[in-house]
């Protein structure tokens, strides 16, 4: 029993000692692994024409990221001309095919009527012979003549319709030639506008090597003077933004060593590079829900050496815990 009591007492002393150490000897705060970044913005209003990168792409200094034009009063007119001609207008072809088909059908109908007229005329001649011989009555001749006349009238009507269609087809061909001529002018105007427009297109090249961050503007969007097109994160210049409470201000000094605990449980060493006395709202992901906005002191923490810096890159944009000892001797 005495041994059990000693073990239990030792465990309680260790547990409460550890809790007291963490509560009073250590400061544990939230942080996020960040790369130093630059914003891409302009002194003039510009319109993005073509975006050549996506978020997360790695770029090298000198790479073209996007093309753009500076907004000017005459730019919209050039842009409209540039995109006006579509080259897909085949209405004349469809209409000519339809008219030609109608002509063929009406010619076929007329040929059929010609055949009927010929048959009726033969029937009329045979009927006249029988009447002459007295085997048929003469009153049967008149209906056949009437039918032949009706067929002749129908044939004449079809011929007139065919002639009208031929005239329309001829006008279509003339209009098509005129349209081709006009389209040729439109094409020439488009090519001239394209040449003038392309002379205004500029390309933005990155001055640094890094990763493409958030892209705020898409193709054909206007970027105003106060806005940013995108952000570029500098490779190799990695740090952690840590958020200390205002009451920790006296425990922070440039050059202090801290322990960084990543989400997978691995640990690393870093140094306080800079901190900002003014307090800033803590990022939403570190705020407690339904509680007033907490303000914090932002602290920049850099890797202790190159090995640590290379290790931090794999945790880019991840949340971390930053552990800072209150006592120099415990760092």
């Amino acid at each position: 029993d005495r041994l059990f009591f000693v073990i239990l007492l030792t465990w309680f002393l260790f547990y409460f000692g550890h809790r007291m150490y963490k509560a009073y000897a250590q400061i544990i705060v939230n942080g996020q692994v960040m790369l130093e970044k630059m914003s891409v913005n302009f002194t003039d209003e510009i319109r993005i024409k073509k975006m050549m990168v996506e978020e997360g792409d790695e770029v090298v200094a000198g790479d073209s990221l996007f093309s753009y034009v500076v907004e000017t009063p005459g730019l919209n007119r050039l842009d409209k001309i540039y995109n006006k001609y579509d080259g897909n207008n085949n209405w004349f072809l469809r209409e000519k095919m339809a008219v030609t088909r109608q002509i063929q059908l009406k010619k076929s109908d007329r040929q059929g009527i010609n055949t009927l007229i010929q048959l009726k005329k033969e029937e009329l001649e045979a009927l006249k012979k029988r009447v002459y011989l007295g085997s048929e009555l003469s009153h049967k001749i008149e209906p056949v003549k009437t039918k032949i006349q009706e067929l002749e009238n129908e044939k004449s009507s079809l011929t007139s319709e065919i002639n009208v269609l031929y005239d329309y087809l001829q006008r279509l061909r003339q209009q098509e030639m005129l349209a081709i001529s006009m389209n040729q002018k439109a094409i020439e105007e488009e090519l001239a506008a394209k040449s003038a427009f392309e002379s205004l297109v500029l390309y933005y090249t990155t001055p640094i090597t890094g990763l493409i961050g958030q892209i705020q503007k898409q193709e054909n969007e206007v970027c105003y003077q106060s806005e940013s097109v995108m952000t570029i994160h500098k490779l190799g210049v990695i740090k952690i933004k840590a958020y200390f409470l205002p009451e920790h201000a006296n425990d922070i000094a440039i050059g202090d060593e801290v322990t960084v605990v990543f989400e997978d449980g691995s640990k690393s060493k870093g140094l306080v590079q800079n901190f900002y006395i003014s307090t800033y709202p803590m990022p939403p992901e570190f705020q407690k829900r339904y509680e007033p906005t907490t303000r914090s002191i932002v602290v920049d923490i850099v890797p202790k050496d190159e090995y640590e810096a290379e290790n931090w890159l794999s945790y880019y944009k991840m949340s971390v815990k930053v552990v800072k000892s209150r006592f120099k001797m415990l760092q």
Side-chain angles (χ1 to χ4, degrees):
D1 290 341
R2 185 177 297 177
L3 179 60
F4 175 75
F5 176 76
V6 170
I7 293 173
L8 186 62
L9 180 61
T10 303
W11 183 84
F12 272 111
L13 288 174
F14 175 79
Y15 175 77
F16 284 108
H18 181 68
R19 291 291 299 270
M20 292 289 288
Y21 173 77
K22 289 186 69 175
Y24 295 100
Q26 289 184 329
I27 301 170
I28 302 176
V29 298
N30 293 307
Q32 189 175 35
V33 182
M34 306 290 290
L35 287 168
E36 189 173 327
K37 65 182 180 181
M38 63 165 284
S39 294
V40 178
N41 41 44
F42 294 82
T43 55
D44 297 309
E45 293 179 4
I46 66 163
R47 182 184 297 275
I48 306 299
K49 294 309 296 178
K50 184 174 180 61
M51 190 63 67
M52 303 174 186
V53 291
E54 296 179 354
E55 293 181 2
D57 285 354
E58 186 172 338
V59 294
V60 178
D63 285 352
S64 294
L65 305 187
F66 56 88
S67 61
Y68 67 96
V69 290
V70 178
E71 285 285 284
T72 56
L75 186 65
N76 286 336
R77 184 185 66 83
L78 280 177
D79 206 7
K80 287 178 181 177
I81 295 174
Y82 181 83
N83 296 300
K84 181 175 68 173
Y85 181 69
D86 60 10
N88 294 320
N89 190 352
N90 57 0
W91 179 84
F92 285 107
L93 177 61
R94 294 196 303 270
E95 189 69 4
K96 285 193 302 180
M97 290 177 65
V99 172
T100 302
R101 178 64 177 163
Q102 288 183 57
I103 291 173
Q104 290 173 346
L105 290 173
K106 290 187 182 297
K107 280 186 174 181
S108 178
D109 291 343
R110 188 175 63 177
Q111 184 62 38
I113 290 174
N114 266 333
T115 302
L116 287 175
I117 290 173
Q118 187 62 34
L119 291 173
K120 285 295 180 182
K121 284 183 176 180
E122 291 175 359
E123 180 186 346
L124 180 61
E125 290 300 319
L127 183 59
K128 284 180 178 180
K129 288 179 180 179
R130 290 197 297 273
V131 170
Y132 179 76
L133 295 173
S135 59
E136 288 284 357
L137 297 176
S138 61
H139 71 276
K140 291 185 177 181
I141 293 177
E142 196 59 34
V144 176
K145 287 183 177 180
T146 302
K147 184 61 178 178
I148 291 173
Q149 187 59 49
E150 288 176 355
L151 291 172
E152 290 285 359
N153 292 340
E154 191 173 348
K155 175 185 172 183
S156 178
S157 177
L158 281 172
T159 300
S160 297
E161 290 178 15
I162 290 170
N163 290 335
V164 169
L165 287 172
Y166 270 124
D167 289 342
Y168 179 53
L169 185 61
Q170 183 62 28
R171 289 198 304 274
L172 273 178
R173 288 169 177 161
Q174 293 172 352
Q175 290 172 4
E176 183 182 25
M177 295 301 295
L178 180 61
I180 290 174
S181 175
M182 292 177 65
N183 283 344
Q184 185 63 36
K185 290 180 181 179
I187 293 171
E188 291 173 358
E189 185 182 26
E190 179 201 5
L191 292 175
K194 182 176 181 180
S195 177
F197 191 83
E198 287 181 347
S199 68
L200 301 175
V201 175
L202 303 172
Y203 292 84
Y204 179 83
T205 57
T206 173
I208 62 172
T209 297
L211 291 174
I212 301 299
Q214 185 178 7
I215 297 176
Q216 285 93 0
K217 296 296 177 182
Q218 302 301 319
E219 293 181 0
N220 294 316
E221 274 194 78
V222 175
C223 180
Y224 297 99
Q225 295 177 13
S226 60
E227 297 178 326
S228 173
V229 178
M230 63 173 61
T231 54
I232 307 171
H233 298 276
K234 296 180 182 178
L235 282 179
V237 188
I238 195 165
K239 59 186 175 183
I240 290 173
K241 289 278 188 187
Y243 302 92
F244 287 77
L245 295 175
E247 55 263 32
H248 298 148
N250 294 329
D251 297 304
I252 307 168
I254 293 175
D256 283 354
E257 184 175 300
V258 298
T259 300
V260 178
V261 183
F262 297 104
E263 289 185 341
D264 60 2
S266 60
K267 296 181 180 180
S268 179
K269 293 294 183 181
L271 300 173
V272 174
Q273 182 191 50
N274 199 4
F275 63 92
Y276 309 93
I277 297 299
S278 298
T279 58
Y280 299 86
M282 193 173 288
E285 59 266 31
F286 300 141
Q287 293 276 2
K288 293 182 179 179
R289 294 184 67 183
Y290 310 116
E291 289 190 4
T293 300
T294 304
R295 300 189 70 82
S296 61
I297 297 173
V298 179
V299 178
D300 290 336
I301 298 170
V302 295
K304 189 175 181 180
D305 51 43
E306 291 183 3
Y307 172 78
E308 301 288 3
E310 187 174 347
N311 185 40
W312 285 18
L313 283 173
S314 59
Y315 298 98
Y316 170 56
K317 279 192 174 181
M318 290 188 180
S319 298
V320 298
K321 293 290 184 182
V322 176
V323 182
K324 167 73 171 63
S325 175
R326 293 179 186 271
F327 309 109
K328 295 284 185 181
M329 65 185 69
L330 296 176
Q331 290 184 1

